Amino acid sequence: MKKIFYITLSVLILPTATHAACPDGKTYPVHFTFDDGPHLILTPRVLEILKEEKVPSTFFVLGKHFAGGKGNAANKPKYALLDRMKKEGHRIGSHTYEHINHPQFSAAKVKENIMKPNPLLKDYLSPVLRLPYGGGSFRSSNPTTQAKNNMVMKTVKDAGFTHVGWDIDTNDWDAKKRPTLLPTMLKDICRQKGGVVLFHDIQKFTVDNLRDWIRAVKREGHTFEPMEHFIPRAAEPLPPEACEEDSMKPVKALRKEVDDVLEMIKE
Ligand SMILES: [Zn+2]
């Protein structure tokens, strides 16, 4: 009796579980990414859900969360989270050190902020980086803005990283957009023909709803693919130039120059 019940149930559920929801009749590959963490309480919950739902994802972690590196005892649980991410099949990318909008800063500061997390995270990082706000990665019709963007993107590339933006922005940080987040994301997946989806693992709202969203995407028939499906380089180790010790020297030298000038002004 029980068996018949399950068979009937699966027949009823199956057609909706595999239907192609996009207007073109197709389903698409997607990849979830989580920025700004790790968060000691929320990120473990995200990891639990991703494990249970078998969804390989990428975490773009902020370098400043690891100030002092492994020598700082307070970082131990954060490094444990990175170990867990790796063990559970996720990729870890750099979100740079401080959460700044890079085109607004000098070339020296941009370089410093991009290079600074690398020695702290070298055992974990894939050669992928996402600039905070995507700042520097967009095209601009203003030549001055474009020149600044070019400088930022060249620094990312010279450091050995591939910049990874997003195809679908869920705006999960924006309370006004939250009521329509799921239908908007599903529509965007169809419109963009799948791709990289942006979330933040420091948002409780995101963590509270993540499982439902994953199941909704699966119900539409879309598939979750690892980062290397979209960025093949993500599977490679971090190149040595990302952690070159002398990469910081020009920045330090420049600082010294500035300090000397300030000293002179004082005198
Ligand atoms: Zn961010």
Side-chain angles (χ1 to χ4, degrees):
M1 189 60 202
K2 235 180 182 179
K3 205 173 177 185
I4 293 165
F5 171 74
Y6 283 130
I7 290 166
T8 316
L9 198 69
S10 65
V11 165
L12 284 171
I13 289 170
L14 214 59
T16 53
T18 54
H19 83 284
C22 291
D24 60 6
K26 291 181 180 166
T27 59
Y28 292 104
V30 293
H31 182 74
F32 278 12
T33 62
F34 300 89
D35 288 10
D36 298 354
H39 185 287
L40 286 178
I41 294 159
L42 297 175
T43 306
R45 288 182 54 202
V46 171
L47 284 167
E48 210 47 48
I49 296 164
L50 296 177
K51 190 178 174 187
E52 284 165 16
E53 296 293 328
K54 298 185 174 60
V55 173
S57 301
T58 300
F59 292 84
F60 287 98
V61 300
L62 204 56
K64 76 166 182 188
H65 294 319
F66 297 88
K70 289 191 172 171
N72 180 355
N75 289 340
K76 217 178 162 192
K78 297 177 206 166
Y79 281 111
L81 279 173
L82 297 186
D83 282 321
R84 186 173 165 192
M85 286 170 190
K86 262 181 93 170
K87 199 172 132 231
E88 294 178 1
H90 306 297
R91 294 278 169 212
I92 300 159
S94 173
H95 199 37
T96 77
Y97 191 80
E98 278 180 73
H99 204 277
I100 57 171
N101 188 22
H102 287 76
Q104 293 173 353
F105 291 85
S106 69
K109 171 72 183 177
V110 166
K111 185 171 183 182
E112 182 193 17
N113 205 52
I114 286 169
M115 302 303 280
K116 204 171 169 183
N118 305 345
L120 308 174
L121 300 170
K122 65 177 183 315
D123 300 333
Y124 302 95
L125 286 182
S126 284
V128 289
L129 179 147
R130 176 177 285 154
L131 291 158
Y133 319 104
S137 68
F138 301 110
R139 304 295 303 171
S140 171
S141 54
N142 179 325
T144 313
T145 308
Q146 188 58 51
K148 286 179 188 166
N149 290 353
N150 290 346
M151 174 272 288
V152 174
M153 293 310 279
K154 188 178 181 309
T155 311
V156 171
K157 191 166 172 268
D158 289 350
F161 290 101
T162 297
H163 185 260
V164 178
W166 53 86
D167 303 294
I168 295 132
D169 186 354
T170 62
N171 291 295
D172 59 341
W173 53 271
D174 186 346
K176 286 194 291 269
K177 292 182 179 169
R178 285 175 174 174
T180 54
L181 188 150
L182 179 59
T184 306
M185 174 174 70
L186 293 176
K187 223 185 281 172
D188 286 347
I189 289 172
C190 292
R191 197 164 41 203
Q192 301 292 332
K193 301 187 188 306
V196 175
V197 188
L198 168 62
F199 293 101
H200 298 84
D201 57 328
I202 56 164
Q203 295 290 342
K204 189 177 176 293
F205 171 79
T206 299
V207 184
D208 286 344
N209 291 280
L210 185 61
R211 193 188 302 275
D212 289 344
W213 295 337
I214 289 171
R215 291 188 175 171
V217 169
K218 286 179 178 172
R219 260 199 312 275
E220 302 296 288
H222 303 305
T223 54
F224 285 96
E225 302 292 345
M227 173 60 89
E228 41 272 38
H229 177 93
F230 300 93
I231 312 284
R233 254 199 94 203
E236 295 172 11
L238 194 68
E241 59 263 37
C243 295
E244 267 170 19
E245 268 183 35
D246 64 351
S247 63
M248 296 293 285
K249 274 186 191 158
V251 179
K252 280 180 190 152
L254 192 81
R255 277 245 180 92
K256 179 87 179 59
E257 255 171 54
V258 174
D259 289 347
D260 290 347
V261 171
L262 288 175
E263 275 307 304
M264 277 159 62
I265 293 168
K266 247 196 270 174
E267 283 163 11

